Amino acid sequence: MSQIRGVILDVDGTLVDSNDAHAQAWVDALTEAGYIAPYEMVRPLIGMGGDKLLPAVIGVQIDTDEGQLLDERRGQIFKARYLPELSGFEGVPALLERLKRDGIRLVVASSAKAEELEHLLKIAQADGYIEKQTSSDDVDHSKPSPDVVHAALDRLGLPPLQTVMLGDTPYDVEAATRAQVPIIGLRCGGWREDQLEGAVAVYDDPADLLAHYDDSPLANGQNGSSLAWHDVA
């Protein structure tokens, strides 16, 4: 693997503790519209964009009039009811500061809407570190399609093997893998280690990754040594 020059960052569930809130916002919006959408059905789909989630839950395509209204209402509910209560995960600013100090460029690849993404990055105290960002507004298909990862690579102007992605869902892992980008998994989004199969290493959260930074794929890729991809429990 080449020297790492860029890191592609997921946001929800990776930098911000927001996955439960996104799930509840979808449940609220769908319930208002008369659908039966149990939280237990919706929560495992968080990490996908609405273009994937809506058809999976109620069989409605997001590009229909109904789909657009539901997605808009979900956004309103999320912003009003849940966004003000969210917090970033421990260690996010310190991890990003370390990456920047090592000369690594940072780009966001999120399934969130662009407007939501701005708020989320501020909550994570990450907005000052991000060079470029991509959101669901920039691509036709959300994760697990690789479109947003390809868009992030284009923003950086780097080949896949000079980057690493940080993500928390199986959809991040699939999207990165399909784009040929190695991915480090974080458990803080609510998925078990075995559900992040395909990640080159797995850590609890950003603080845990920072604590193990010198032994992580991030440092290995920087010093040019051969990379032994491994799980750090």
Side-chain angles (χ1 to χ4, degrees):
M1 178 175 172
S2 303
Q3 181 181 24
I4 293 171
R5 298 171 58 198
V7 168
I8 299 172
L9 298 161
D10 175 60
V11 176
D12 288 300
T14 298
L15 305 183
V16 181
D17 189 5
S18 53
N19 285 347
D20 291 348
H22 279 296
Q24 193 60 58
W26 273 116
V27 170
D28 293 352
L30 293 170
T31 301
E32 276 187 10
Y35 287 100
I36 298 174
Y39 178 87
E40 294 75 16
M41 176 188 294
V42 175
R43 179 60 177 83
L45 302 179
I46 297 302
M48 298 180 177
D51 62 314
K52 300 290 200 309
L53 187 147
L54 270 180
V57 176
I58 61 170
V60 172
Q61 299 298 320
I62 200 168
D63 57 359
T64 63
D65 289 344
E66 182 181 13
Q68 290 292 307
L69 287 172
L70 287 168
D71 190 34
E72 181 179 351
R73 182 57 182 147
R74 175 216 59 84
Q76 292 169 348
I77 291 171
F78 177 75
K79 186 174 181 180
R81 298 181 189 172
Y82 301 112
L83 188 64
E85 305 301 320
L86 298 181
S87 58
F89 287 114
E90 181 182 356
V92 170
L95 175 61
L96 300 185
E97 175 65 33
R98 174 66 188 270
L99 290 167
K100 294 293 282 188
R101 191 165 68 245
D102 283 353
I104 296 176
R105 299 166 61 196
L106 304 177
V107 63
V108 163
S110 172
S111 291
K113 299 286 187 181
E115 181 185 1
E116 292 176 6
L117 188 55
E118 295 292 341
H119 291 291
L120 292 166
L121 289 173
K122 290 185 189 312
I123 288 168
Q125 302 178 59
D127 50 321
Y129 298 97
I130 304 302
E131 177 179 330
K132 299 177 184 294
Q133 60 191 55
T134 58
S135 70
S136 61
D137 295 335
D138 300 314
V139 297
D140 293 329
H141 304 288
S142 67
K143 302 169 190 171
S145 298
D147 297 24
V148 73
V149 183
H150 286 307
L153 290 170
D154 289 343
R155 296 280 199 279
L156 287 174
L158 294 174
L161 291 183
Q162 289 185 6
T163 66
V164 170
M165 183 169 176
L166 302 186
D168 67 292
T169 74
Y171 316 118
D172 291 320
V173 175
E174 181 176 344
T177 300
R178 291 171 65 182
Q180 298 184 314
V181 173
I183 180 168
I184 295 171
L186 300 178
R187 301 183 186 94
C188 48
W191 274 264
R192 300 187 310 272
E193 181 178 320
D194 62 295
Q195 294 173 307
L196 300 175
E197 183 178 358
V200 296
V202 180
Y203 300 86
D204 288 338
D205 53 25
D208 186 37
L209 174 54
L210 180 61
H212 293 93
Y213 188 96
D214 290 336
D215 297 319
S216 76
L218 295 171
N220 288 337
Q222 279 296 298
N223 64 28
S225 63
S226 60
L227 292 175
W229 302 118
H230 59 284
D231 174 72
V232 178

